[in-house]
């Protein structure tokens, strides 16, 4: 049979060899040496080589090393070469060599194929590194704390254990003899053993996991046989009860651990160990976030430090989840109403007492007392309403709250306003867009953990937040999904598989790291955290979702959720905080380089430091007011007061009194009018003048340029301080009463003691009358137009009205020349006479225009007459001392002006004393109060201290502070690790 197959193969090879011609086209068989062909084909017929031309010496090659062999001489015979049977050794060697290469090639090829198949299979496996957070950290760190090698060596060997065990064969024989007595208990033991085997094989579905043996079941015919499915359901329920039992044990141990830690922290807090406690890690991290929030608000930048961002639809249960994590009802409650109107940053940390406090307040709220909880909720609501601007519904301003307590998971959470789909009445039109923008601003941080809250009691199709989360985190690498109100969902949802689809991430168009189902109460705002925990545990213990394995034990309860969120948070912190520190380090270098290039000779003063510098300058300038000399104050006050009252003195006192016929009537009129003026107007005018003078001097000191040292960056702040201080300052009300008495006494005095005072009064009278005369002539010139010189020199003319007034003036001057003692008023017949005279000249004049022109013409005439009379009174002091007896000269007008001048001097002196002794100090106090108010109101400093230099210095200070805080936090993080 073997020979038949070999012959068939040889025939096939011969046909293959005959089908090719040429050297290059030869088959592998023809390329072989004669010996090789003989080995391969023992039935090879060498008829081709019987021809004489083929007798030649050729070079053969070995299949082993491809090296040329020694030439072979074959003895020729009549019919060909020697027979092949003489080369059996060569045939055997060739076969052995070929077999080795076949084995080697098969091994290499098979190994490569196996490696490629293994790589392909390995690539199909999912990446389980992202789910490492599900397993607690202490499991991964067991090998660091427990030496398993020593433990294995310490355990006894199997042989030693076997010696300690009883002889089961003998026990079995004893039991078999007592089978009739213990058959019920024996059956129970066998069922327990079967149940334990079922617990081990419970994961397999569709097969019977109950392990049965022939022994022990022969006497079980009295019990009803239960199907495998019912036994599996029963054992699943027992397994669930066992898990819940161990969960309660674990919670009891954690509670005891919490109490022990509380005692330790209390001892540390009281200083028993006499050591200074460092800040906790989470408090250090929270400080960095607080600084960054101020930095972001001022300069519109955004950090990428991790934080847990809680987002969800309105009334989805976001606040309730946060309260369960914080273990206190700390947020305002509302049924269907928007309660979260601004982001609330909650920093959870461990401490001996369960308390809460705001970052800008030192008050601690005891979360174990209901009155403190109510006060905290009220304070949060007040802060939210204050942060919301007028005309808006929500605000982007962050409220920072720290919550400490024993057993709290350390993390930083940010509760955002709930996402809405419709803007209702009472809301601002942009409320929906504002909430979306706030949520996106927090979620677009690549290192933020997104805690997506979904209401399980409503239809999944009504969810808005899931689409928003899927846009911000499409791969779900930093999202944790939380399904709330699962108790209502189990009652209302017709198909429980829908809840399973949600938890498995198959229903919503989003991905997440983990999925959790929680119950946060029955909807009663008065429930306590403990009662909610008990209700949640009771619900999941009896829930069909767990019994039917739709939910897994590690996916339920808010405790498991808080543990998972805390692990994800700290994992993200460890992965990203160093990168953020390097980014701020680079930013600091850039800002420092910019400052050195732009402001090489200036110190890096931020806004607070610049405000302090400006504050000191302003206070120095206020103090400078007290250094003003009394002479300067009195000169300014006297001059300003006379400018303010001179018109009243001339028009209402001097001119009416001067129209009298004798000195007695003149003095009587002057005394009456001075008394009325002093009682009603003069003190008030004097106080107004003093206050305006103080303002003017204060303003001059504030705006005075100080040469090269002047910094215009403070100008806006100084102006605001000046205006606010002046607005707040009020003059002492009692000053007017005392000033009235002083002025009245000064004006009552008529005794001029010496010639020097008389000459000063005449000089004061002359200056006053000359100034009035100039003003009057200026008014007349405007009325009648330019004179002939100006018309010729400047080529200007008079208007028609000016021509009429000029003609009227000329007629009135003629009347005064005829009667220089004319009264101050024109009679009606005199007006008619002037009008007719003008009409005769062809000038139509209105009587009112005549009277108006007469007032100015007579005023100029009266002032000229008074000035000439003043010159005559220069030598009248002698007659004054004799009371003008036997003298035609009367200088009562000089005495009037002396009384006015003396009153001005005494009033200026009194006001100066009030200024220097009282008002300057009160103004300084007002300035300090204004500066303190500006210092407390940060927005004032931002508005009043502006500019590139201020912004750069402020930015540089913030970046330095953030970098230092981050480096300290990283160092503490490494130490804790």
């Amino acid at each position: 049979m073997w020979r038949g197959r070999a012959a068939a193969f040889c025939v096939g090879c011969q046909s293959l060899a005959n089908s090719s011609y040429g050297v290059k086209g030869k088959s592998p068989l023809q390329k072989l040496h004669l010996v090789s062909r003989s080995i391969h084909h023992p039935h090879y017929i060498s008829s081709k080589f019987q021809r004489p031309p083929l007798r030649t010496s050729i070079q053969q090659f070995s299949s082993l090393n491809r090296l040329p062999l020694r030439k072979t001489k074959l003895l020729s015979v009549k019919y060909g070469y020697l027979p092949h049977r003489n080369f059996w050794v060569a045939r055997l060697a060739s076969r052995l060599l070929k077999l080795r290469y076949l084995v080697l090639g098969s091994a290499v090829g098979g190994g490569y194929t196996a490696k490629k198949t293994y790589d392909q299979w390995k690539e199909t496996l999912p990446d389980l590194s992202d789910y490492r957070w599900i397993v607690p950290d202490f499991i991964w760190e067991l090998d660091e704390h427990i030496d398993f090698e020593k433990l294995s060596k310490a355990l006894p060997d199997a042989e030693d254990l076997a010696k300690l065990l009883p002889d089961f064969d003998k026990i079995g024989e004893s039991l078999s003899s007592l089978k009739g007595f213990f058959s019920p208990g024996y059956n129970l033991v066998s069922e327990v053993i079967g149940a334990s085997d079922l617990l081990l094989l419970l994961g397999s579905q569709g097969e019977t996991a109950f392990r049965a043996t022939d022994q022990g079941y022969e006497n079980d015919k009295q019990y009803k046989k239960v199907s495998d499915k019912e036994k599996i359901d029963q054992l699943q329920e027992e397994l669930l009860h066992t898990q819940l039992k161990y969960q309660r044990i674990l919670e009891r141990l954690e509670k005891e651990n919490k109490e022990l830690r509380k005692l330790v922290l209390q001892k540390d807090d009281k200083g028993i160990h006499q050591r200074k406690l460092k800040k906790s890690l989470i408090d250090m991290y929270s400080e960095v976030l607080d600084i960054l929030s101020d930095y972001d608000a001022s300069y519109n930048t955004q950090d990428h430090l991790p934080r847990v961002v809680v987002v969800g639809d309105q009334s989805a249960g976001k606040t309730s989840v946060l309260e369960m994590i914080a273990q206190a009802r700390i947020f305002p409650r509302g049924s269907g109403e928007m309660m979260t109107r601004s982001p609330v940053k909650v920093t959870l940390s461990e401490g001996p007492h369960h308390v809460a406090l705001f970052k800008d307040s030192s008050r601690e709220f005891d979360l174990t007392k209901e009155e403190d909880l109510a006060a905290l909720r009220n304070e949060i609501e007040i802060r939210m309403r204050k942060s919301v601007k007028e005309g808006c519904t929500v605000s982007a301003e962050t409220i920072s709250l720290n919550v400490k307590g024993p057993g709290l998971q350390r993390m930083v959470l940010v509760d955002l306003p709930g996402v809405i789909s419709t803007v209702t009445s009472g809301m601002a039109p942009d409320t929906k867009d504002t909430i979306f923008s706030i949520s996106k601003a927090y979620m677009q941080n690549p290192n933020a953990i997104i805690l997506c809250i979904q209401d399980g009691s409503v239809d999944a199709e009504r969810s808005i937040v899931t689409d928003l989360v899927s846009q911000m985190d499409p791969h779900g690498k930093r999202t944790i999904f939380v399904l709330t109100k699962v108790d209502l969902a189990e009652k209302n949802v017709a198909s429980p598989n829908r809840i399973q689809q949600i938890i498995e991430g198959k229903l919503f168009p989003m991905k997440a790291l983990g999925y959790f189902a929680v119950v946060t109460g029955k909807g009663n705002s008065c429930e306590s955290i403990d009662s909610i925990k008990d209700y949640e545990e009771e619900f999941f213990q009896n829930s069909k979702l767990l019994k039917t394995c739709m939910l897994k034990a590690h996916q339920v309860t808010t405790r498991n959720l808080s543990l998972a969120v805390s692990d994800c948070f700290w994992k993200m912190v460890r992965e990203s905080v160093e990168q953020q520190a390097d980014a701020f380090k680079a930013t600091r270098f850039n800002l420092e380089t910019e400052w050195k290039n732009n402001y090489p000779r200036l110190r890096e003063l931020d806004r607070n430091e610049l405000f302090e510098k400006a504050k000191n300058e302003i206070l120095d300038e206020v103090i400078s007011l007290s250094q003003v000399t009394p002479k300067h104050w009195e000169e300014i006050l006297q001059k300003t007061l006379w400018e303010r009252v001179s018109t009243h003195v001339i028009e209402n006192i001097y001119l009416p009194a001067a129209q009298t016929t004798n000195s007695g009537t003149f003095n009587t009129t002057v005394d009456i009018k001075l008394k009325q003026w002093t009682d009603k107007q003069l003190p008030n005018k004097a106080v107004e003048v003093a206050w305006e003078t103080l303002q003017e001097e204060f303003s001059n000191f504030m705006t005075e340029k100080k040469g090269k040292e002047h910094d215009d960056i403070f100008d806006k702040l100084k102006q605001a301080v000046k205006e606010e201080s002046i607005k707040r300052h009020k003059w002492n009300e009692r000053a007017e009463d005392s000033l009235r008495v002083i002025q009245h006494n000064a004006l009552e005095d008529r005794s001029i003691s010496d010639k020097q005072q008389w000459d000063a009064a005449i000089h004061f009278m002359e200056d006053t009358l000359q100034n009035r005369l100039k003003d009057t002539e200026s008014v007349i010139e405007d009325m009648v137009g330019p004179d002939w010189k100006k018309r010729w020199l400047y080529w200007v003319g008079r208007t028609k009205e000016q021509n009429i007034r000029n003609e009227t003036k000329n007629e009135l001057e003629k009347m005064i020349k005829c009667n220089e003692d004319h009264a101050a008023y024109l009679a009606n017949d005199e007006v008619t006479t002037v009008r007719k005279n003008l009409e005769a000249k062809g000038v139509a004049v209105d009587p009112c225009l005549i009277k108006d022109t007469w007032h100015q013409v007579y005023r100029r005439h009266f002032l000229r007459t008074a000035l000439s009379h003043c010159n005559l009174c220069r030598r009248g002091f002698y007659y004054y001392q004799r009371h003008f007896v036997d003298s035609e000269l009367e200088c009562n007008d000089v005495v009037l002006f002396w009384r006015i001048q003396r009153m001005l001097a005494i009033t200026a002196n009194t006001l100066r004393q009030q200024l220097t002794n009282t008002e300057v100090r009160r103004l300084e106090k007002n300035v300090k109060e204004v500066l303190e108010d500006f210092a407390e109101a940060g927005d004032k400093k931002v508005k009043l201290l502006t500019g590139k230099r201020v912004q750069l210095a402020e930015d540089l200070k913030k970046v330095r502070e953030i970098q230092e805080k981050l480096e300290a936090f990283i160092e503490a993080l490494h130490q804790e690790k």
Side-chain angles (χ1 to χ4, degrees), residues 559-743:
R559 170 160 185 80
N560 291 334
L561 171 64
S562 62
L563 289 171
V565 173
S566 178
D567 290 342
C568 286
F569 170 74
W570 285 107
K571 178 183 177 183
M572 190 68 77
V573 167
R574 292 186 180 95
E575 291 176 354
S576 61
V577 68
E578 293 187 1
Q579 181 181 359
Q580 294 300 310
D582 293 339
F584 279 104
K585 186 176 181 181
T587 304
R588 174 181 176 178
F589 175 78
N590 296 336
L591 294 175
E592 287 177 347
T593 304
E594 184 178 358
W595 182 274
K596 290 177 182 178
N597 292 332
N598 294 328
Y599 311 103
R601 298 182 179 179
L602 294 178
R603 289 191 300 128
E604 299 169 3
L605 300 179
D606 62 355
R607 184 171 280 109
N608 292 330
E609 293 171 340
L610 287 172
F611 184 82
E612 289 297 324
K613 183 179 179 181
K615 177 181 177 181
N616 294 330
E617 287 189 7
I618 293 171
L619 294 177
D620 291 341
E621 290 163 358
V622 174
I623 293 175
S624 299
L625 286 174
S626 60
Q627 305 300 322
V628 178
T629 60
K631 181 180 180 181
H632 180 74
W633 279 120
E634 293 181 7
E635 288 178 355
I636 295 176
L637 289 170
Q638 188 171 349
K639 179 182 178 182
T640 308
L641 181 60
W642 175 240
E643 291 175 354
R644 189 68 59 86
V645 302
S646 60
T647 301
H648 180 84
V649 171
I650 299 297
E651 301 294 335
N652 298 327
I653 298 177
Y654 176 61
L655 288 178
Q659 305 300 320
T660 58
T661 56
N662 54 50
S663 60
T665 308
F666 178 87
N667 291 330
T668 302
T669 305
V670 167
D671 290 342
I672 293 173
K673 291 187 176 295
L674 287 176
K675 181 69 169 58
Q676 295 174 352
W677 183 43
T678 305
D679 292 339
K680 296 180 180 180
Q681 299 180 6
L682 183 57
N684 188 20
K685 287 287 183 181
V687 170
E688 288 181 2
V689 168
W691 176 219
E692 291 176 1
T693 304
L694 178 61
Q695 294 181 33
E696 185 177 357
E697 289 296 315
F698 177 55
S699 178
N700 291 335
F701 279 108
M702 294 281 286
T703 58
E704 183 181 2
K705 304 290 183 180
K706 295 184 173 67
K708 294 182 179 180
E709 297 179 358
H710 178 72
D711 197 346
D712 57 356
I713 203 171
F714 301 141
D715 292 346
K716 191 182 293 186
L717 176 62
K718 290 181 178 180
Q719 182 67 21
V721 171
K722 184 192 73 172
E723 293 176 357
E724 185 65 23
S725 302
I726 291 173
K727 187 187 298 184
R728 295 185 184 185
H729 186 80
K730 293 181 179 179
W731 202 274
N732 191 2
E733 296 178 355
R734 298 179 181 178
E736 290 188 13
D737 297 334
S738 59
L739 189 62
R740 182 179 293 108
V741 175
I742 294 173
Q743 290 172 342

Side-chain angles (χ1 to χ4, degrees), residues 392-621:
C392 300
T393 307
V394 294
S395 170
E397 184 179 346
T398 304
I399 300 173
S400 182
L401 179 67
N402 293 339
V403 178
K404 298 181 179 181
L408 293 181
Q409 298 297 320
R410 303 176 303 168
M411 66 183 93
V412 177
L413 304 103
V414 181
D415 185 21
L416 299 180
V419 179
I420 61 175
S421 59
T422 304
V423 178
T424 59
S425 61
M427 292 185 178
D430 61 342
T431 302
K432 178 180 177 181
D433 298 334
T434 304
I435 294 175
F436 268 88
S437 62
I438 294 173
S439 302
K440 287 182 179 180
Y442 277 91
M443 287 192 293
Q444 69 185 3
N445 178 4
N447 297 321
I449 305 297
I450 302 175
L451 196 62
C452 180
I453 310 297
Q454 173 62 36
D455 189 353
S457 63
V458 300
D459 296 334
E461 289 76 13
R462 294 169 57 186
S463 176
I464 307 172
V465 71
T466 52
D467 294 334
L468 182 62
V469 172
S470 62
Q471 294 175 8
M472 295 293 103
D473 185 23
H475 302 292
K477 293 183 178 180
R478 50 188 181 90
T479 301
I480 296 177
F481 182 86
V482 182
L483 186 68
T484 61
K485 305 178 184 179
V486 184
D487 52 342
L488 299 178
E490 188 179 23
K491 295 178 183 178
N492 300 334
V493 177
S495 176
N497 294 329
R498 195 171 179 84
I499 299 177
Q500 184 180 7
Q501 291 178 352
I502 294 175
I503 296 301
E504 292 178 353
K506 298 178 180 179
L507 189 61
F508 288 109
M510 59 170 289
K511 299 179 182 179
L513 283 174
Y515 296 83
F516 290 87
V518 298
V519 175
T520 55
K522 301 178 183 178
N524 185 5
S525 61
C526 299
E527 289 180 297
S528 64
I529 296 296
D530 294 334
S531 63
I532 295 175
K533 283 183 178 180
D534 296 338
Y535 172 71
E536 184 183 38
E537 180 182 348
E538 181 182 359
F539 167 76
F540 283 116
Q541 184 177 357
N542 301 322
S543 175
K544 295 180 180 179
L545 298 174
L546 275 180
K547 291 180 180 180
T548 57
C549 293
M550 291 185 181
L551 296 179
K552 298 178 182 178
H554 67 272
Q555 289 182 313
V556 298
T557 70
T558 51
R559 170 160 185 80
N560 291 334
L561 171 64
S562 62
L563 289 171
V565 173
S566 178
D567 290 342
C568 286
F569 170 74
W570 285 107
K571 178 183 177 183
M572 190 68 77
V573 167
R574 292 186 180 95
E575 291 176 354
S576 61
V577 68
E578 293 187 1
Q579 181 181 359
Q580 294 300 310
D582 293 339
F584 279 104
K585 186 176 181 181
T587 304
R588 174 181 176 178
F589 175 78
N590 296 336
L591 294 175
E592 287 177 347
T593 304
E594 184 178 358
W595 182 274
K596 290 177 182 178
N597 292 332
N598 294 328
Y599 311 103
R601 298 182 179 179
L602 294 178
R603 289 191 300 128
E604 299 169 3
L605 300 179
D606 62 355
R607 184 171 280 109
N608 292 330
E609 293 171 340
L610 287 172
F611 184 82
E612 289 297 324
K613 183 179 179 181
K615 177 181 177 181
N616 294 330
E617 287 189 7
I618 293 171
L619 294 177
D620 291 341
E621 290 163 358

Side-chain angles (χ1 to χ4, degrees), residues 3-59:
R3 290 188 179 185
R5 289 181 181 176
F9 287 143
C10 291
V11 173
C13 292
Q14 269 187 341
S15 63
L16 181 63
N18 293 333
S19 64
S20 302
Y21 298 94
V23 178
K24 294 183 179 180
K26 287 184 179 181
S27 66
L29 184 62
Q30 292 175 328
K31 293 180 182 179
L32 291 175
H33 186 260
L34 178 60
V35 178
S36 300
R37 286 183 295 186
S38 300
I39 294 173
H40 282 285
H41 300 280
H43 299 280
Y44 180 73
I45 301 173
S46 58
S47 60
K48 293 181 181 181
F49 297 96
Q50 293 178 1
R51 290 177 291 180
L54 292 176
R55 290 183 61 193
T56 178
S57 61
I58 59 176
Q59 186 178 6

Side-chain angles (χ1 to χ4, degrees), residues 810-828:
N810 294 333
E811 285 295 325
L812 293 174
E813 286 178 349
K814 293 178 182 179
M815 184 180 296
I816 290 176
K817 286 181 179 179
C818 295
N819 184 12
E820 293 183 356
D821 296 330
H822 198 284
Y825 300 99
L826 283 175
N828 291 330

Side-chain angles (χ1 to χ4, degrees), residues 200-226:
L200 296 174
L201 301 175
L202 194 59
S204 61
Q205 297 179 359
E207 297 182 0
T208 303
F210 193 84
R211 186 182 303 172
T213 58
D214 295 333
Q215 184 179 3
Y217 283 92
E218 295 177 356
N219 298 323
D220 278 347
K221 295 180 180 179
Q222 58 183 347
Y223 295 103
K224 184 179 179 180
K225 187 176 181 180
V226 184

